[in-house]
Amino acid sequence: MPRSKRRLHSRSGSRSSVGGGGVGRYEEKRLKHHTESGDGYKSARKSNTSSSRRKRKRSEESHHQRSLGSTSGGHRKNRYREEKQPRRREDSRTSRKDREREREQHRPEDPKKHTTSGAVRNDSDGHLIYQSGDVLHNRYKLLSTLGEGTFGRVVKVKDTAKEQTIALKIIRNVEKYRKAAKLEINVLEEIIAKDPFGRYLCIQMLDWFDYHGHICIAFEMLGLSVYDFLKDNKYEPFPMEHVRHMAYQLCFAVNFLHSIKLTHTDLKPENILFVNSEFTTVPSNSTRKSREVRHVNCSDIRLIDFGNAIFDHEYHSTIVSTRHYRAPEVILELGWAQPCDVWSIGCIMYELYLGITLFQTHDNREHLAMMERILGPIPYRMAKKTRTRYFHHGKLDWDEKTSNARYVRENCKPLARSAICDAPEHAQLFNLIGRMLEYDPNDRITLAEALDHPFFAKLPAHQKLHLQHRYGSNDKSTSSSVPAGSSRDFSHSLSR
């Protein structure tokens, strides 16, 4: 199966269309942003013993797996199936007490630990055991399960106090997931404080509570994710007017996050949901097959999944973002800030336009080779600055005779050549994508600048939200709390 297409088997796991699916894809990694002090390679380099080499290999394998992500956005499994790791060998020098302490740390939490009555039970993984009709918190009547992931489950519930149907995310009764959920709640509360009416297109948290050790977060109900809609539509690209509107809304929402000193760090089609994903079936314009395709009736979207969002003042871990949308400064471990979100948006816009992933790979070196094939050589200053081993004398260390190199040559081409036609709006789209995919984050366009790009000029006046908020908003609380543009503050970057 050609890798240039989205591989259906590579996105295994259930996918819910609910807004409540906006959970942190890397819940465990999100915690490590606050607990780890650096990357795992440095200490491994200090020893030449065989034991240290084994440890280094395990550390690098673990680091690579974390870079791919241990869970998927919301409630689906990883895009690429992780290989089973070999059983860890105990070091003969490790004491019995140390080994027991380590096993205790990794032992699943007792599912009965937070159970206060016989009616509340957990399974062996810490998931809440429930059935349709159960009522949580004397308010939320469970109707059906919408999705499941490493973090827990998302359930369709009826809010009996307000007589409305919403989505409830029920976190597993495991300490690390409870902590990750509380971090996400902190971000969601900050978003509500700065945008109480939801005008900046981020999903709204309606309520949260602790139910016998299960953190529960209530969200508004939304439609399918952009990725799920693409998949169900056989990866048929969106019409240009939908690409324009959806890209604009994404820039608008993320620019708001940047203005309140937040970086999302995990932007991808799975984390963009349609408000309503009802569609109309129309004949396909494609010459490949005479079939019908789906056009969504309303292209309004909401941004979800703030489990990995990082405030400017917080610790920035080395690796963030889902592989396909990861910026070069992250791969090269040069430190990152808000421009890494801009790179992700550029990749998403390409995918909306063509229906395929721009960088379909799961290997760092191949990823960099694809970048050079599509965008040109990586700047010498970045190649010399990185401590990774992907370059030799400032050039990418890439064997052009391998099958991987042949795949890159055959399936990747300069960015501008991907345009379907030479019409001005297509050229404008690729101009904007190109400015978002500048290698150097300091040269990358900001989202405040992107909102005024000529590609968005054709939007109807009522869809140009940044102009309404800039010139016509009467909401003092919103307009006064959010600056007009996003900042290029790199003071918290981990650049070396």
Side-chain angles (χ1 to χ4, degrees):
M1 185 179 298
R3 291 195 295 175
S4 60
K5 298 294 182 183
R6 285 273 190 147
R7 289 178 284 182
L8 297 180
H9 71 272
S10 65
R11 289 177 177 265
S12 59
S14 60
R15 301 176 184 84
S16 167
S17 60
V18 57
V23 303
R25 178 172 181 200
Y26 311 103
E27 295 92 345
E28 182 174 358
K29 185 178 71 178
R30 169 74 171 117
L31 281 174
K32 292 179 181 178
H33 288 174
H34 300 266
T35 58
E36 292 185 347
S37 59
D39 84 67
Y41 292 119
K42 293 182 180 179
S43 61
R45 294 194 185 113
K46 294 181 180 179
S47 174
N48 292 322
T49 65
S50 60
S51 175
S52 296
R53 286 195 295 271
R54 289 196 300 271
K55 290 180 181 179
R56 180 169 68 249
K57 183 177 180 180
R58 290 195 295 269
S59 173
E60 291 172 347
E61 290 173 346
S62 175
H63 180 84
H64 176 64
Q65 282 203 331
R66 285 200 304 272
S67 72
L68 293 179
S70 58
T71 66
S72 59
H75 23 264
R76 62 173 182 78
K77 296 181 180 178
N78 186 25
R79 177 195 302 258
Y80 289 96
R81 294 170 179 166
E82 296 180 356
E83 297 179 355
K84 291 184 179 179
Q85 292 298 299
R87 180 179 298 177
R88 179 175 179 179
R89 288 189 237 171
E90 298 288 354
D91 194 317
S92 60
R93 294 171 296 177
T94 304
S95 69
R96 179 178 178 182
K97 183 180 295 185
D98 290 338
R99 294 197 299 270
E100 290 180 352
R101 183 184 300 113
E102 183 174 347
R103 284 196 296 269
E104 182 65 27
Q105 290 174 347
H106 291 83
R107 184 175 298 154
E109 190 166 338
D110 184 357
K112 297 181 179 179
K113 183 176 180 180
H114 291 273
T115 300
T116 59
S117 69
V120 178
R121 296 182 296 120
N122 302 328
D123 65 17
S124 59
D125 293 323
H127 290 285
L128 177 67
I129 297 176
Y130 58 84
Q131 59 185 3
S132 179
D134 287 350
V135 178
L136 275 57
H137 206 50
N138 297 319
R139 176 173 177 177
Y140 300 104
K141 184 177 181 180
L142 278 58
L143 302 178
S144 61
T145 300
L146 295 170
E148 180 176 330
T150 302
F151 67 93
R153 295 189 175 104
V154 177
V155 183
K156 181 179 180 180
V157 303
K158 180 179 180 181
D159 182 352
T160 57
K162 295 186 177 180
E163 292 297 321
Q164 64 181 12
T165 300
I166 61 172
L168 189 68
K169 182 172 64 175
I170 305 176
I171 305 299
R172 287 166 57 187
N173 188 353
V174 177
E175 182 62 23
K176 63 180 178 180
Y177 296 120
R178 282 198 298 273
K179 289 181 178 179
K182 290 176 181 177
L183 292 172
E184 182 178 4
I185 289 169
N186 289 340
V187 174
L188 291 167
E189 287 181 334
E190 178 68 13
I191 291 173
I192 292 173
K194 293 295 194 299
D195 181 25
F197 302 105
R199 295 179 177 177
Y200 288 91
L201 312 183
C202 298
I203 193 171
Q204 294 290 289
M205 179 178 67
L206 306 177
D207 187 19
W208 77 271
F209 55 92
D210 190 328
Y211 184 75
H212 301 284
H214 297 273
I215 301 297
C216 301
I217 310 176
F219 293 99
E220 57 186 319
M221 284 285 290
L222 297 173
L224 286 172
S225 73
V226 168
Y227 170 73
D228 284 330
F229 193 94
L230 263 175
K231 179 179 69 68
D232 293 346
N233 204 24
K234 304 295 188 292
Y235 303 101
E236 185 75 19
F238 288 96
M240 180 60 83
E241 61 270 21
H242 288 173
V243 174
R244 181 183 289 108
H245 186 213
M246 293 159 64
Y248 175 88
Q249 292 174 90
L250 184 57
C251 291
F252 181 72
V254 180
N255 182 57
F256 160 71
L257 296 180
H258 291 181
S259 71
I260 61 173
K261 310 302 181 185
L262 268 171
T263 306
H264 188 283
T265 79
D266 197 19
L267 296 172
K268 54 188 175 181
E270 291 90 330
N271 288 339
I272 307 166
L273 269 57
F274 287 110
V275 173
N276 188 327
S277 52
E278 293 181 357
F279 59 86
T280 301
T281 303
V282 300
S284 173
N285 293 325
S286 174
T287 58
R288 294 173 298 175
K289 292 182 180 180
S290 56
R291 60 181 178 86
E292 293 184 332
V293 298
R294 301 173 179 181
H295 280 190
V296 67
N297 295 337
C298 177
S299 54
D300 290 349
I301 60 173
R302 293 292 182 270
L303 180 62
I304 69 166
D305 195 347
F306 298 96
N308 304 306
I310 301 295
F311 287 99
D312 286 359
H313 66 273
E314 292 182 311
Y315 168 70
H316 286 36
S317 67
T318 304
I319 301 298
V320 292
S321 303
T322 299
R323 156 66 64 191
H324 305 70
Y325 312 94
R326 186 175 295 156
E329 66 268 24
V330 179
I331 297 174
L332 299 179
E333 300 181 10
L334 296 175
W336 55 268
Q338 291 167 349
C340 76
D341 280 347
V342 180
W343 177 279
S344 299
I345 293 176
C347 297
I348 293 170
M349 290 173 62
Y350 181 97
E351 196 164 335
L352 297 177
Y353 176 79
L354 288 172
I356 57 177
T357 311
L358 178 56
F359 300 109
Q360 183 64 46
T361 181
H362 56 86
D363 175 78
N364 279 340
R365 200 180 303 272
E366 184 180 65
H367 198 166
L368 295 170
M370 287 181 169
M371 289 181 184
E372 292 204 328
R373 179 75 174 170
I374 295 170
L375 304 170
I378 293 171
Y380 179 80
R381 61 185 179 278
M382 295 180 70
K384 293 297 289 184
K385 194 174 183 181
T386 181
R387 294 184 180 181
T388 60
R389 299 180 179 180
Y390 304 128
F391 295 87
H392 182 67
H393 296 307
K395 292 185 177 181
L396 183 64
D397 187 8
W398 177 249
D399 188 352
E400 292 289 348
K401 298 179 181 179
T402 63
S403 59
N404 286 341
R406 184 166 56 253
Y407 164 76
V408 171
R409 287 195 303 271
E410 293 174 354
N411 294 277
C412 299
K413 56 187 176 183
L415 182 65
R417 288 173 53 189
S418 294
I420 297 173
C421 69
D422 297 329
E425 61 182 0
H426 294 255
Q428 291 169 351
L429 169 63
F430 277 88
N431 175 269
L432 178 55
I433 293 175
R435 295 186 64 185
M436 290 180 167
L437 299 183
E438 288 284 351
Y439 284 119
D440 191 330
N442 291 287
D443 296 335
R444 217 167 284 159
I445 191 174
T446 67
L447 296 180
E449 294 167 344
L451 291 170
D452 288 318
H453 191 275
F455 176 64
F456 297 128
K458 285 188 176 182
L459 283 173
H462 71 277
Q463 292 183 350
K464 295 182 179 180
L465 302 177
H466 75 295
L467 297 182
Q468 297 175 23
H469 287 259
R470 184 182 299 172
Y471 304 121
S473 176
N474 292 322
D475 178 15
K476 295 182 180 179
S477 63
T478 302
S479 61
S480 62
S481 61
V482 182
S486 61
S487 170
R488 281 185 181 270
D489 181 9
F490 297 102
S491 59
H492 301 287
S493 173
L494 299 181
S495 296
R496 300 182 175 93

